[in-house]
Amino acid sequence: MSPRGGNIGVPLLPLYSQPVTVKQQPLTSEEREFFALLTEVIFSNPFSFQKDRLASLGSQIQGPTPVPDDHHYSALIPPLEQWLARLESRGLCRIQAVPLQDRRLLQYAFLFQLYDRYVAQWDQLIQTQMVKGAAPAPVPFAEELIDKLQNRGFSIEEAGRYLALFYQLRRAYFFIAHALVGDSPSMTRLRHALWNNVFTTDARFYADHLWDRMEDFSTLLLGETGTGKGSAAAAIGRSGLIPFDLKSRRFTYSFTETFIAINLSQFPESLIESELFGHRKGAFTGAIDNHKGLFQRCSPHGALFLDEIGDVSVPVQIKLLNVLQERQFTPVGSHSPLRFAGRVIAATHRSLPALRREGQFRDDFYYRLSSDVIEVPPLRRRLQESPAELKQLVGLLAKRLTGQAAEDLIDRILQVLNKCLPADYAWPGNVRELEQAVRRIILKGDYQGAEAPTDHGSWLCQATQGKLSAPQLLAAYCQMLYRRHGTYEAVATITALDRRTVKKHVQAGASKED
Ligand SMILES: Nc1ncnc2c1ncn2[C@@H]1O[C@H](COP(=O)(O)OP(=O)(O)OP(=O)(O)O)[C@@H](O)[C@H]1O
């Protein structure tokens, strides 16, 4: 077993493992061109901004029909089948049938063909696993798929590895595309960033080298309260690689167990350590039993989500930094360090630049956490870009609450929102506030809007202590009003400042937060 938790750690390339039984023939230049194009399309980010480029690549492969907006790109399959049939008629049915320089291209083509054939079964497995919960579900088609991969010349270990990658691709697509509602440009950017967070910007390199080495890539999710940072973190956590165990013919974990979340602001300082690292019986008064901390409960390849990271004290930051650097932690009262093999995702709605300036957030911890920093967009920006997103979200929230997305209920909710709130309402509590609004409308038939959240820690409190200069105070006030009302004009009216001055103050705050 490899220390990274799998018996599938066999390097993908070069593929010398299978005996060469056929006389090798190189691909023709047309075949090479086709397979290279196909490789580029299938490894691209399915939420790519380069949709035009993708569509043009796709149409070169498959003719005038555009590439469908789905990751398995099944429209690419008919031309692929034709090219593969031509190869087969020349006796080229296995990766070993071509010389090394062509092998990679043929390998990707075979893999894509088999991935696509089982897309529906993978999707069914995701549904089954969700119902089944913690125990890994059987994979009814595993045997058949392993056989087919072996028939193409892959070794049994490689077959196991590709099963893990196929499943990961399908889960990532499912959780990133469907668990987060909304198709505004900001949401597309978010999905694009989440996909890259899982597969990096070069999915081929990930598949060849990084697939079991992602533990050192920590992620920081930033965004206002209620925007969906927790949902984004869960999408990453459930999309990690789960090794396939060739002995039991099952995945080693259920994806329902690969994501563990903790809201750090809910724990008093004295309990955080024990919650995170665990404790031994008798370590302190009240420790009546051994307790497994979250770092110990997180599976290898899983993700631990540290929500409200901006709220933890400097001593706890130092301990967390140590875990990230050493990959080890020690339960309270124990002398035996344990290894942490998961990924860390942290989030905060607070301004980390401000906390760092004030010395409340350590720079070294910030840099260690931020291999990837992803901004989760506020709801008002999403609705400005794409007003139709409100209906999509209301539909989802109504379904969550009532079990169905009945059109008449959605229409009634939208009517109340249109009547009771200004068109440019700023949604200070974001999607969580919208959830609350939907509940209120179902119960009471109206919703009058919420107060914008104030970050007392960072400006109001400082103002009452006499710590802010007049320009700082004005900037913070303008930013709060802007968050609440969403337009410079509205803030200008309230503050009796001109619009340009308001914009200057709001943007000064935004650039400080970059
Ligand atoms: N794009 C989205 N699609 C569907 N539901 C969403 C989306 N964004 C947020 N939600 C829902 O909104 C609620 C709040 O989301 P979440 O808890 O992830 O926000 P958050 O940014 O982590 O908030 P906080 O900073 O307060 O922890 C959840 O019920 C979540 O399911």
mmCIF file of all heavy atoms in Angstrom, residues 169-185:
data_model
loop_
_atom_site.group_PDB
_atom_site.id
_atom_site.type_symbol
_atom_site.label_atom_id
_atom_site.label_comp_id
_atom_site.label_asym_id
_atom_site.label_seq_id
_atom_site.Cartn_x
_atom_site.Cartn_y
_atom_site.Cartn_z
ATOM 1 N N LEU A 169 -14.000 12.365 -12.056
ATOM 2 C CA LEU A 169 -14.458 13.321 -13.074
ATOM 3 C C LEU A 169 -15.971 13.493 -13.021
ATOM 4 O O LEU A 169 -16.499 14.592 -13.059
ATOM 5 C CB LEU A 169 -14.082 12.815 -14.472
ATOM 6 C CG LEU A 169 -12.649 13.069 -14.918
ATOM 7 C CD1 LEU A 169 -12.342 12.287 -16.184
ATOM 8 C CD2 LEU A 169 -12.421 14.561 -15.165
ATOM 9 N N ARG A 170 -16.665 12.375 -12.918
ATOM 10 C CA ARG A 170 -18.133 12.438 -12.916
ATOM 11 C C ARG A 170 -18.647 13.127 -11.664
ATOM 12 O O ARG A 170 -19.590 13.898 -11.689
ATOM 13 C CB ARG A 170 -18.690 11.027 -12.990
ATOM 14 C CG ARG A 170 -19.458 10.621 -14.216
ATOM 15 C CD ARG A 170 -19.539 11.590 -15.305
ATOM 16 N NE ARG A 170 -20.882 12.097 -15.496
ATOM 17 C CZ ARG A 170 -21.217 13.089 -16.340
ATOM 18 N NH1 ARG A 170 -20.307 13.676 -17.068
ATOM 19 N NH2 ARG A 170 -22.455 13.501 -16.442
ATOM 20 N N ARG A 171 -18.022 12.813 -10.507
ATOM 21 C CA ARG A 171 -18.465 13.460 -9.258
ATOM 22 C C ARG A 171 -18.198 14.958 -9.324
ATOM 23 O O ARG A 171 -19.038 15.762 -8.966
ATOM 24 C CB ARG A 171 -17.722 12.855 -8.061
ATOM 25 C CG ARG A 171 -18.380 11.615 -7.503
ATOM 26 C CD ARG A 171 -17.660 11.129 -6.273
ATOM 27 N NE ARG A 171 -16.358 10.565 -6.596
ATOM 28 C CZ ARG A 171 -15.205 11.016 -6.161
ATOM 29 N NH1 ARG A 171 -15.163 12.038 -5.325
ATOM 30 N NH2 ARG A 171 -14.074 10.446 -6.519
ATOM 31 N N ALA A 172 -16.997 15.310 -9.798
ATOM 32 C CA ALA A 172 -16.659 16.740 -9.858
ATOM 33 C C ALA A 172 -17.658 17.455 -10.751
ATOM 34 O O ALA A 172 -18.159 18.531 -10.412
ATOM 35 C CB ALA A 172 -15.240 16.917 -10.385
ATOM 36 N N TYR A 173 -17.970 16.844 -11.887
ATOM 37 C CA TYR A 173 -18.933 17.490 -12.783
ATOM 38 C C TYR A 173 -20.278 17.630 -12.080
ATOM 39 O O TYR A 173 -20.908 18.684 -12.092
ATOM 40 C CB TYR A 173 -19.079 16.719 -14.097
ATOM 41 C CG TYR A 173 -19.829 17.572 -15.078
ATOM 42 C CD1 TYR A 173 -19.174 18.610 -15.752
ATOM 43 C CD2 TYR A 173 -21.184 17.419 -15.269
ATOM 44 C CE1 TYR A 173 -19.863 19.459 -16.594
ATOM 45 C CE2 TYR A 173 -21.872 18.266 -16.113
ATOM 46 C CZ TYR A 173 -21.216 19.270 -16.772
ATOM 47 O OH TYR A 173 -21.902 20.118 -17.595
ATOM 48 N N PHE A 174 -20.699 16.572 -11.429
ATOM 49 C CA PHE A 174 -22.005 16.576 -10.754
ATOM 50 C C PHE A 174 -22.049 17.659 -9.670
ATOM 51 O O PHE A 174 -22.956 18.485 -9.630
ATOM 52 C CB PHE A 174 -22.265 15.201 -10.139
ATOM 53 C CG PHE A 174 -23.549 15.128 -9.382
ATOM 54 C CD1 PHE A 174 -24.746 14.921 -10.049
ATOM 55 C CD2 PHE A 174 -23.569 15.294 -8.009
ATOM 56 C CE1 PHE A 174 -25.942 14.875 -9.349
ATOM 57 C CE2 PHE A 174 -24.756 15.248 -7.303
ATOM 58 C CZ PHE A 174 -25.950 15.038 -7.974
ATOM 59 N N PHE A 175 -21.051 17.664 -8.788
ATOM 60 C CA PHE A 175 -21.116 18.584 -7.648
ATOM 61 C C PHE A 175 -20.858 20.029 -8.063
ATOM 62 O O PHE A 175 -21.448 20.943 -7.509
ATOM 63 C CB PHE A 175 -20.150 18.147 -6.536
ATOM 64 C CG PHE A 175 -20.637 16.919 -5.832
ATOM 65 C CD1 PHE A 175 -19.945 15.720 -5.904
ATOM 66 C CD2 PHE A 175 -21.831 16.951 -5.119
ATOM 67 C CE1 PHE A 175 -20.427 14.585 -5.281
ATOM 68 C CE2 PHE A 175 -22.310 15.815 -4.483
ATOM 69 C CZ PHE A 175 -21.605 14.632 -4.569
ATOM 70 N N ILE A 176 -19.983 20.235 -9.030
ATOM 71 C CA ILE A 176 -19.682 21.620 -9.405
ATOM 72 C C ILE A 176 -20.782 22.190 -10.305
ATOM 73 O O ILE A 176 -21.169 23.341 -10.172
ATOM 74 C CB ILE A 176 -18.294 21.713 -10.074
ATOM 75 C CG1 ILE A 176 -17.215 21.337 -9.045
ATOM 76 C CG2 ILE A 176 -18.032 23.102 -10.618
ATOM 77 C CD1 ILE A 176 -15.810 21.237 -9.592
ATOM 78 N N ALA A 177 -21.322 21.341 -11.193
ATOM 79 C CA ALA A 177 -22.335 21.865 -12.112
ATOM 80 C C ALA A 177 -23.700 21.955 -11.452
ATOM 81 O O ALA A 177 -24.426 22.918 -11.653
ATOM 82 C CB ALA A 177 -22.427 20.987 -13.363
ATOM 83 N N HIS A 178 -24.046 20.942 -10.676
ATOM 84 C CA HIS A 178 -25.443 20.877 -10.227
ATOM 85 C C HIS A 178 -25.684 21.327 -8.801
ATOM 86 O O HIS A 178 -26.783 21.763 -8.479
ATOM 87 C CB HIS A 178 -25.985 19.458 -10.426
ATOM 88 C CG HIS A 178 -25.904 19.018 -11.857
ATOM 89 N ND1 HIS A 178 -26.509 19.708 -12.877
ATOM 90 C CD2 HIS A 178 -25.252 17.986 -12.453
ATOM 91 C CE1 HIS A 178 -26.252 19.116 -14.031
ATOM 92 N NE2 HIS A 178 -25.482 18.069 -13.803
ATOM 93 N N ALA A 179 -24.669 21.217 -7.936
ATOM 94 C CA ALA A 179 -24.940 21.584 -6.543
ATOM 95 C C ALA A 179 -24.953 23.092 -6.362
ATOM 96 O O ALA A 179 -25.472 23.604 -5.384
ATOM 97 C CB ALA A 179 -23.916 20.940 -5.626
ATOM 98 N N LEU A 180 -24.351 23.813 -7.308
ATOM 99 C CA LEU A 180 -24.347 25.275 -7.219
ATOM 100 C C LEU A 180 -25.219 25.820 -8.340
ATOM 101 O O LEU A 180 -24.881 25.678 -9.506
ATOM 102 C CB LEU A 180 -22.922 25.809 -7.380
ATOM 103 C CG LEU A 180 -21.935 25.421 -6.291
ATOM 104 C CD1 LEU A 180 -20.515 25.686 -6.743
ATOM 105 C CD2 LEU A 180 -22.232 26.206 -5.018
ATOM 106 N N VAL A 181 -26.319 26.437 -7.954
ATOM 107 C CA VAL A 181 -27.253 26.926 -8.973
ATOM 108 C C VAL A 181 -26.806 28.296 -9.481
ATOM 109 O O VAL A 181 -26.234 29.076 -8.727
ATOM 110 C CB VAL A 181 -28.656 27.006 -8.357
ATOM 111 C CG1 VAL A 181 -29.598 27.837 -9.204
ATOM 112 C CG2 VAL A 181 -29.197 25.616 -8.192
ATOM 113 N N GLY A 182 -27.087 28.578 -10.757
ATOM 114 C CA GLY A 182 -26.825 29.906 -11.295
ATOM 115 C C GLY A 182 -25.894 29.862 -12.487
ATOM 116 O O GLY A 182 -24.904 29.140 -12.458
ATOM 117 N N ASP A 183 -26.260 30.628 -13.555
ATOM 118 C CA ASP A 183 -25.377 30.610 -14.724
ATOM 119 C C ASP A 183 -24.917 32.005 -15.115
ATOM 120 O O ASP A 183 -24.626 32.280 -16.274
ATOM 121 C CB ASP A 183 -26.049 29.891 -15.899
ATOM 122 C CG ASP A 183 -27.452 30.401 -16.132
ATOM 123 O OD1 ASP A 183 -27.745 31.511 -15.642
ATOM 124 O OD2 ASP A 183 -28.241 29.703 -16.786
ATOM 125 N N SER A 184 -24.852 32.927 -14.142
ATOM 126 C CA SER A 184 -24.299 34.262 -14.431
ATOM 127 C C SER A 184 -22.801 34.094 -14.719
ATOM 128 O O SER A 184 -22.200 33.086 -14.326
ATOM 129 C CB SER A 184 -24.486 35.162 -13.211
ATOM 130 O OG SER A 184 -23.905 34.544 -12.089
ATOM 131 N N PRO A 185 -22.189 35.081 -15.389
ATOM 132 C CA PRO A 185 -20.742 34.982 -15.623
ATOM 133 C C PRO A 185 -19.951 34.759 -14.323
ATOM 134 O O PRO A 185 -18.989 33.989 -14.313
ATOM 135 C CB PRO A 185 -20.399 36.329 -16.259
ATOM 136 C CG PRO A 185 -21.668 36.746 -16.940
ATOM 137 C CD PRO A 185 -22.786 36.237 -16.079
#
